Amino acid sequence: MPPLAPTSLRDRLRTQLADLKMPGALEALDDILRQVDGGQLAAGEAISAVLHSQIRLRNQRRLQTAMRSARLPAVKTLGDFDFSFQPSIKREQLDNLHTLSFLDRKENVVFLGPPGVGKTHLAISLAIAAAEYGRRVYYATLADLITSLEEAQQAGHLTRRLRTLVFPSLMVIDEIGYLPISRTGAQLFFQLMSRRYEHASTVLTSNKGFEEWGDVFGDETMAAALIDRLLHHCHIVNIRGNSYRMRQHRDLALRRSEPDPEPARRPRRQER
């Protein structure tokens, strides 16, 4: 004898959502039904809320998968960025970049500025935004990227590796100028950027101005050719300001230097 079908609307909906494999909607169902019973939501609004809960969970899972695939080191969004601490940045420029229209035009973005001013934060925020829209993203520091290219070359898989790295819609290359680069590494990086030129967008961060990239890559001619390709379709964000990390260290030092509040004195015991 088949089991009896659920009698209540709530049980029927839970069974249907489970059959449809909609865990986000299933988790939100009870709260949404309480709002319907309380007159806070109409039927159409309730349906929309149920579907929105499922879409939100799907997007969260997609973002988590994209972050693992992209090797993003942290979740940093534009909303978390303190523009009041970096007044040199034009908020309108960053808002426009986060519409991601530059990806469709295969344009690049370069963040320049001293260490600690938020270059990596803003670069990752663009990667997060792209991942949320289903775009394929890849993140690496320049040192790690070159290491992977050198290992691929030694193993005889350089062509395959370059082809893989050309595919992401957005590549973030962080920390240009922080560590020395071998001539072979610089040549491999130039090959990659030449392949991505006008095929996909790249976001780069550097603590060195373009005039110093010849020293960074150990070859003025190659650096000039690289810069020429980058800047052909490029948005440059110059950040001139103080370091967030230095501010955090300073605030911590100030807190540590403040005297502890005097502990409350215990009342003296009366002598008998």
Side-chain angles (χ1 to χ4, degrees), residues 71 73-74 76 109-124 138-147 171-181 189 202-209 213 216-217 226 245:
R71 303 180 182 181
K76 296 180 181 292
V109 181
V110 180
F111 292 98
L112 300 174
V117 294
K119 301 184 301 296
T120 297
H121 183 135
L122 293 172
I124 290 177
Y138 185 86
Y139 168 93
T141 64
L142 178 62
D144 289 343
L145 177 63
I146 287 178
T147 297
M171 174 177 283
V172 176
I173 302 174
D174 204 7
E175 299 181 356
I176 295 176
Y178 284 79
L179 295 174
I181 301 168
F189 179 64
T202 306
V203 174
L204 305 97
T205 76
S206 179
N207 66 330
K208 304 291 186 183
W213 281 29
V216 172
F217 292 101
L226 173 63
R245 290 187 286 273

Side-chain angles (χ1 to χ4, degrees), residues 27-257:
E27 183 178 353
L29 179 64
D30 287 347
D31 182 60
I32 292 171
L33 289 179
R34 277 194 295 270
Q35 294 182 59
V36 172
D37 292 339
Q40 298 168 284
L41 287 179
E45 294 171 329
I47 295 172
S48 176
V50 168
L51 296 176
H52 177 71
S53 298
Q54 180 61 31
I55 292 170
R56 183 172 62 243
L57 178 63
R58 183 201 62 187
N59 290 344
Q60 289 173 350
R61 288 179 172 178
R62 185 167 63 184
L63 178 58
Q64 291 170 356
T65 300
M67 284 190 62
R68 288 193 297 270
S69 176
R71 303 180 182 181
L72 290 172
V75 175
K76 296 180 181 292
T77 66
L78 186 64
D80 298 330
F81 191 79
D82 186 0
F83 282 91
S84 65
F85 191 68
Q86 300 296 6
S88 66
I89 301 177
K90 296 179 181 178
R91 177 63 186 265
E92 182 181 358
Q93 182 184 24
L94 269 298
D95 287 339
N96 287 335
L97 288 173
H98 280 77
T99 65
L100 303 178
S101 57
F102 74 95
L103 293 180
D104 297 325
R105 297 190 295 267
K106 311 296 189 297
E107 296 169 346
N108 303 314
V109 181
V110 180
F111 292 98
L112 300 174
V117 294
K119 301 184 301 296
T120 297
H121 183 135
L122 293 172
I124 290 177
S125 72
L126 286 172
I128 293 290
E132 288 177 335
Y133 276 87
R135 299 296 190 97
R136 185 170 179 180
V137 176
Y138 185 86
Y139 168 93
T141 64
L142 178 62
D144 289 343
L145 177 63
I146 287 178
T147 297
S148 75
L149 291 173
E150 290 175 336
E151 290 174 350
Q153 185 180 50
Q154 293 168 5
H157 305 313
L158 179 60
T159 300
R160 184 193 311 167
R161 182 62 177 160
L162 288 171
R163 190 183 305 119
T164 299
L165 293 174
V166 169
F167 184 70
S169 298
L170 179 62
M171 174 177 283
V172 176
I173 302 174
D174 204 7
E175 299 181 356
I176 295 176
Y178 284 79
L179 295 174
I181 301 168
S182 68
R183 181 171 180 81
T184 299
Q187 292 171 343
L188 292 173
F189 179 64
F190 180 78
Q191 287 186 54
L192 172 61
M193 297 309 299
S194 295
R195 293 194 179 207
R196 287 185 62 83
Y197 173 60
E198 294 191 330
H199 283 87
S201 296
T202 306
V203 174
L204 305 97
T205 76
S206 179
N207 66 330
K208 304 291 186 183
F210 292 125
E211 70 279 1
E212 300 177 84
W213 281 29
D215 295 332
V216 172
F217 292 101
D219 188 316
E220 293 287 348
T221 302
M222 184 169 56
L226 173 63
I227 293 169
D228 181 65
R229 285 166 172 75
L230 285 175
L231 299 189
H232 185 203
H233 309 289
C234 188
H235 304 267
I236 300 175
V237 182
N238 276 300
I239 308 177
R240 300 177 299 276
N242 298 317
S243 167
Y244 284 103
R245 290 187 286 273
M246 290 301 296
R247 181 182 67 171
Q248 292 170 351
H249 292 320
R250 184 170 61 250
D251 292 345
L252 180 60
L254 286 173
R255 286 196 297 270
R256 288 178 174 175
S257 65

